[in-house]
Amino acid sequence: MVIGQKTMFVRTAGCDYSCSWCDSAFTWDGSAKEEIRLLTPEQIDAELRELGGGAPGHVTLSGGNPALLRQLGQLIELLHESGAAVALETQGSRWQDWFVAVDELTLSPKPPSSGMKTDWAVLDQIVSRLQDAGSRFSLKVVIFDEEDLRYAAGVHERYPAVPFFLQSGNDRLLEPDAGELLRHLQARYEWLVERVMAEPGWKQVRVLPQLHAWIWGNKRGV
């Protein structure tokens, strides 16, 4: 929803999924447990100000799955008080009341290539509650293959009134050469664009690259 937006990231630890192609598995697989810190909203806000040279204008909350944290609403409230807009991405597996306070919320249900199963009853409820609240939110599905595309078509058909994004996935998370990765991702993005262009059913949809991987490759912390 906010591709290209200058933002600062707050990444939470822990996830209720274990996607096969997760590019932030370090948040839940134990490989970076020594880097995980327990911080108050005030401490997070202070670090954002120090890193950014002042109050941030836009903050993205990601994970892992930030929807696991009931108390995250306190941070969102504090960021709003400092003048920041807040974006958040979650797979839509759990509801939190503070969802309605998020300025730009992305629900990203995971397709078959992830190895995860979508709980449609939970996702239906989340979408319905956000619509009832008049929240600004969108749906995004990461695409790796034809089966993922069929899954995404079903998501779009199920929620036709919700802004919908497709994003080509990064299937080379261990590629050390950023230039080689970029060439591969460009080809994958072109494939996805061509598939969407060829299908009459794909009308109200935006097709995105994974921009940070195009620029920085598989580097963490960007």
Side-chain angles (χ1 to χ4, degrees):
M1 184 189 295
V2 292
I3 188 168
Q5 168 72 51
K6 179 181 178 181
T7 191
M8 299 188 76
F9 270 82
V10 176
R11 192 176 288 280
T12 65
C15 193
D16 48 336
Y17 278 19
S18 55
C19 297
S20 61
W21 37 253
C22 181
D23 62 1
S24 54
F26 58 88
T27 63
W28 51 264
D29 67 4
S31 62
K33 59 183 179 181
E34 69 284 352
E35 300 177 34
I36 296 173
R37 295 180 295 155
L38 184 63
L39 300 173
T40 65
E42 291 74 19
Q43 288 172 321
I44 294 171
D45 181 60
E47 290 207 18
L48 290 171
R49 290 171 181 268
E50 181 179 355
L51 289 169
H58 192 278
V59 177
T60 298
L61 307 178
S62 188
N65 183 8
L68 297 180
L69 302 180
R70 185 177 58 197
Q71 65 272 37
L72 205 57
Q74 300 171 31
L75 175 61
I76 295 169
E77 182 178 355
L78 184 60
L79 291 171
H80 281 160
E81 290 175 356
S82 68
V86 178
L88 184 141
E89 182 165 331
T90 177
Q91 58 262 45
S93 60
R94 186 169 302 195
W95 170 265
Q96 292 290 355
D97 288 342
W98 48 254
F99 276 8
V100 298
V102 175
D103 300 291
E104 297 136 350
L105 177 64
T106 299
L107 301 176
S108 184
K110 305 310 177 188
S113 63
S114 70
M116 300 294 103
K117 298 292 185 182
T118 301
D119 187 328
W120 295 108
V122 172
L123 188 57
D124 285 348
Q125 182 187 55
I126 291 174
V127 169
S128 178
R129 294 177 77 169
L130 290 171
Q131 288 175 325
D132 290 345
S135 297
R136 184 166 185 251
F137 75 104
S138 65
L139 285 157
K140 183 188 81 174
V141 178
V142 180
I143 303 298
F144 286 86
D145 54 33
E146 293 286 348
E147 189 176 10
D148 287 354
L149 262 177
R150 289 191 290 272
Y151 169 90
V155 173
H156 191 32
E157 182 178 355
R158 193 179 189 100
Y159 313 109
V162 181
F164 193 73
F165 297 83
L166 297 177
Q167 185 177 66
S168 52
N170 178 5
D171 58 357
R172 294 189 179 179
L173 297 176
L174 300 179
E175 174 57 63
D177 186 324
E180 178 60 32
L181 179 62
L182 175 57
R183 287 187 287 273
H184 174 70
L185 294 180
Q186 286 176 327
R188 296 296 299 157
Y189 181 56
E190 183 177 358
W191 168 81
L192 181 56
V193 169
E194 290 176 348
R195 288 292 293 108
V196 171
M197 292 292 289
E199 175 53 57
W202 290 112
K203 297 184 185 296
Q204 298 298 325
V205 60
R206 295 174 175 86
V207 184
L208 306 177
Q210 198 175 32
L211 189 58
H212 68 84
W214 280 41
I215 299 173
W216 294 288
N218 287 316
K219 182 180 178 181
R220 272 178 52 183
V222 294

